[in-house]
Amino acid sequence: MKTAIISDTHGLLRPEALAVLEGSDLIIHAGDIGAPEILSQLAAIAPLHAVRGNNDLDLPWAAALPDHLSFDLNGWPTLLTHDIADVPALLTSAIKLVITGHSHKPLIEWRENCLYLNPGSAGRRRFKLPVTLALLDASRTALEPELIHLLP
């Protein structure tokens, strides 16, 4: 199952990101979306899970989006929230995949038997941080994440 994970678009969905997202079975947006059109464009490519980020809180169109979401990703219990600081209060031992955004810093890290994944920021470059998203191959027996750099 090809899952594309994107975050911190802040109203900018780059053509480079769209090219990578094509052919995804599922797209996950980890918040700071920035504009409702971003969600429409993503949902036109594949089914979509999204949470709002701190920059989406005061935007009327984002009021219906959850702050966190728990779901099953091909047999992997998953927690999606924008800020990793919110994870401890939401985490249970059943969760095997934690997806966050917010920091604009990509992270792929196993912590015991749980994968923590932050795809970084796919929107406007912040400081000297990379512009990235992540692809995740979620089979029944393994999670195989890959960080994709969108700009040199």
Side-chain angles (χ1 to χ4, degrees):
M1 177 175 198
K2 179 184 174 185
T3 303
I5 304 167
I6 191 168
S7 188
D8 295 274
T9 48
H10 294 279
L12 174 63
L13 191 53
R14 296 173 181 276
E16 297 90 348
L18 287 170
V20 172
L21 298 173
E22 285 298 327
S24 296
D25 298 307
L26 176 69
I27 298 173
I28 298 171
H29 197 303
D32 279 356
I33 300 155
E37 297 80 21
I38 301 288
L39 296 179
S40 299
Q41 287 179 279
L42 296 177
I45 297 170
L48 175 66
H49 291 312
V51 293
R52 63 184 174 177
N54 58 299
N55 287 299
D56 301 322
L57 291 177
D58 295 329
L59 302 175
W61 61 266
L65 291 173
D67 293 322
H68 64 275
L69 191 59
S70 294
F71 57 94
D72 181 276
L73 180 63
N74 204 26
W76 297 90
T78 301
L79 171 65
L80 171 62
T81 191
H82 182 61
D83 191 342
I84 198 167
D86 297 329
V87 169
L90 302 168
L91 194 61
T92 69
S93 60
I95 299 294
K96 301 301 178 204
L97 173 61
V98 173
I99 299 169
T100 62
H102 186 61
S103 70
H104 292 230
K105 296 176 186 174
L107 172 74
I108 296 173
E109 179 179 276
W110 284 94
R111 297 181 187 176
E112 297 183 21
N113 62 348
C114 184
L115 175 61
Y116 281 69
L117 196 156
N118 182 328
S121 172
R124 290 168 183 79
R125 187 184 297 271
R126 183 175 178 201
F127 310 114
K128 292 184 179 180
L129 294 172
V131 177
T132 57
L133 58 78
L135 295 178
L136 179 65
D137 182 14
S139 72
R140 291 280 179 197
T141 58
L143 292 172
E144 297 179 23
E146 177 185 6
L147 189 65
I148 306 294
H149 289 263
L150 300 175
L151 298 178

